[in-house]
Amino acid sequence: MFDVDKALDLWRSEALRRALRIQSVVLDASREFLRRQGFIEILPVIISPITDPLTDHRVRGEVECYGFKYQITKSMIFHKQIALFTHPRIFCFSPNVRIESIERRNSGKHLIEFVQLDLEVREAKRSEVISLGEELFRFIVIAVREKCREDLEFFGRKLDLPESPFPQISYREAEAKFGPDFEEKLSCSQKGPFWIIDFPMEIREFYDREDENRPGILIDMDLVYPEGFGEALSGGEREYIFQRICYRIQQKGIQLEAFSPYLEIARRGLFPSAGFGIGIERLTRYLCGLRQIELTRLFAKLPGEFSL
Ligand code: AMP
Ligand code: MG
């Protein structure tokens, strides 16, 4: 069960104290950068009848209120698209709960509760949010290098400032060069962050937009950290046409009813958009050069472990 002494050692540790200081600079810098870019911060949604399906091993977290069934947010993807009715550029520090499989307990990368900096831009193309992601990342690195010199020294971390544009490789190219589990190998082989683009439709969720000129290929991307730190963010252009969304949902073998409130909105017309979500704990992990994700936030919950 809960080990109080172990938890106290962690809460009093120098590593956690310094990692959280770096994280605090990350939060400030992200807000400052995005405000300058004309973004509005929206508040997170914790429960909703709709959330990211993430059609894999992850269990659905559900709560019942007044006889209505709500799901605990796995990501705010649909709420971001809907928020664009109110404002054209939005971001949110969104808490996500994903009940990851127990095999991921020692991956160093997986928590069952984490926070994404999730943003969406009305009428944007992928290239625009790729540039935005690069500038955001560079802004954060500059801020951390400037404000957290002693903390970086403590971690023995020399943070390079990558030049924009970051390299890009397509999913198919990466797979051909490095084999099916290429992310880890590619990440280990790189010195700076890089993009994987054009994921095949079958391995992503239904909301990433299919390229009209290349059936089965999505206009989406992941940013990957170097040195084996792995995935930093996922994003892309979104499906926004009602019939396309219905088709993509059905292709995944999901009943349309599961998304009926979202589909009612899409029928009346969603904006075209693009965006991404970057995990804050993983970003902190990379900046600090830490291998254990549980050192990047208070009350970290590893798959399979009981925690506060
Ligand atoms: P995804 O929608 O799965 O691509 O998640 C967006 C981002 O959130 C990822 O690129 C990671 O940075 C982060 N993330 C996803 N799952 C987890 C997890 N289980 N623990 C910590 N961070 C995560
Ligand atoms: Mg992802």
Side-chain angles (χ1 to χ4, degrees), residues 259-298:
F259 287 95
S260 52
Y262 174 64
L263 290 174
E264 281 311 307
I265 299 161
R267 191 199 296 279
R268 288 163 174 79
L270 287 166
F271 285 106
S273 70
F276 61 73
I278 179 164
I280 294 296
E281 294 86 349
R282 288 197 193 169
L283 173 57
T284 310
R285 175 176 177 263
Y286 169 73
L287 294 170
C288 299
L290 285 164
R291 294 290 163 180
Q292 289 165 279
I293 198 162
E294 58 271 33
L295 289 175
T296 66
R297 66 167 295 155
L298 274 165

Side-chain angles (χ1 to χ4, degrees), residues 212-225:
E212 283 159 26
N213 305 315
R214 296 181 303 163
I217 304 289
L218 303 174
I219 311 173
D220 63 355
M221 74 286 182
D222 272 8
L223 180 70
V224 182
Y225 298 122

